[in-house]
Amino acid sequence: MSINHRILFEDNHLIAINKQSGDLVQGDKTGDEILPDLIKDYIAKKYDKPGAVFLGVVHRLDRPTSGVVIFARTSKALPRMNKLFAAHETDKTYWAIVEGNVPKKKDRLEHYLVRNPKQNKSYAHDHEVPNSKKAALSYSVIKELDRYTLLEVKLETGRHHQIRSQLSKIGCVIKGDLKYGAKRSNKDGSIHLHARTLEFIHPVKKEPVKIVAPVNEKDALWKAAVGD
């Protein structure tokens, strides 16, 4: 699987990829090939590196989710990027296509999430409960289709399955997301959640960086939702 055409940003310290649904950012019980290994192969070939290639995982996206994911190419950049993400000094925007219409054109959602590791699922509660973590996001409607709505989502916190869980809680299930109540799955196992943009100050060059990930143009619904 070639990743050359999916590279969104690359310099000496960082590399960003437009992750496809199904790509694994880190290994799991399936033993399937992981994105970092593909990127290491790409770097080794492009720069003719004979030894082991360094690549640090900075953040993750769920397997069925698509969009921008960034990796550190140097041991200098990795802790600095980790610090940016931990301090919420990155600006992340997601696009989500949800079933039906949303209650409000724009809103801020605040819930308390409880993660169930056995189910690999997070449950959203309106009030604080034992073992819960506060989760907050804001959304706004970009476009309404006949049976679906395209939302722009901005995260304030970075909890497990946060967008999926919080939108499901207000009755706005992401298309294809069976785990959180979708009516049916997508044929390719994807869900219509896409990490659209990532903005931050470069950890070494100290310059602003904005990375934008195109949606899958072969997907008719994404095309209908984001087209003019």
Side-chain angles (χ1 to χ4, degrees), residues 41-183:
D41 287 344
Y42 159 81
I43 292 170
K45 287 171 186 169
K46 181 175 179 180
Y47 300 101
D48 197 21
K49 285 184 175 285
V53 173
F54 178 89
L55 193 77
V57 176
V58 177
H59 66 127
R60 295 162 182 82
L61 289 179
D62 299 337
R63 186 166 195 176
T65 304
S66 59
V68 57
V69 60
I70 196 159
F71 300 87
R73 287 191 54 200
T74 62
S75 55
K76 184 178 185 179
L78 180 59
R80 295 183 184 189
M81 287 301 292
N82 286 339
K83 195 173 178 182
L84 284 179
F85 273 80
H88 305 294
E89 291 175 5
T90 59
D91 189 7
K92 289 176 277 188
T93 301
Y94 290 79
W95 280 357
I97 297 178
V98 299
E99 296 177 355
N101 296 314
V102 294
K104 299 177 183 176
K105 297 290 185 186
K106 58 170 60 178
D107 200 5
R108 181 180 180 275
L109 305 181
E110 196 173 283
H111 295 104
Y112 291 87
L113 301 191
V114 177
R115 182 175 182 177
N116 184 320
K118 285 186 179 178
Q119 294 177 312
N120 189 31
K121 186 174 178 179
S122 288
Y123 291 85
H125 300 265
D126 291 323
H127 305 287
E128 193 169 4
V129 297
N131 302 314
S132 64
K133 291 182 178 179
K134 187 176 176 180
L137 62 77
S138 298
Y139 76 80
S140 56
V141 172
I142 299 176
K143 191 171 185 178
E144 291 178 326
L145 303 168
D146 290 341
R147 291 182 295 146
Y148 302 100
T149 305
L150 173 63
L151 304 179
E152 181 173 277
V153 180
K154 286 191 172 286
L155 288 176
E156 293 179 30
T157 53
R159 305 300 183 200
H160 175 260
H161 288 186
Q162 180 179 334
I163 298 173
R164 299 165 68 180
S165 179
Q166 285 196 271
L167 290 180
S168 172
K169 178 69 174 174
I170 64 166
C172 300
V173 180
I174 294 170
K175 184 181 183 299
D177 198 357
L178 284 182
K179 187 178 287 261
Y180 287 93
K183 291 171 185 164

Side-chain angles (χ1 to χ4, degrees), residues 190-221:
S190 69
I191 62 173
H192 277 74
L193 178 62
H194 181 74
R196 174 64 174 171
T197 64
L198 175 63
E199 296 180 68
F200 57 93
I201 301 299
H202 195 288
V204 180
K205 298 177 182 176
K206 304 302 179 187
E207 299 168 350
V209 176
K210 180 176 182 178
I211 303 168
V212 182
V215 296
N216 181 5
E217 283 291 315
K218 294 178 182 175
D219 184 301
L221 186 56

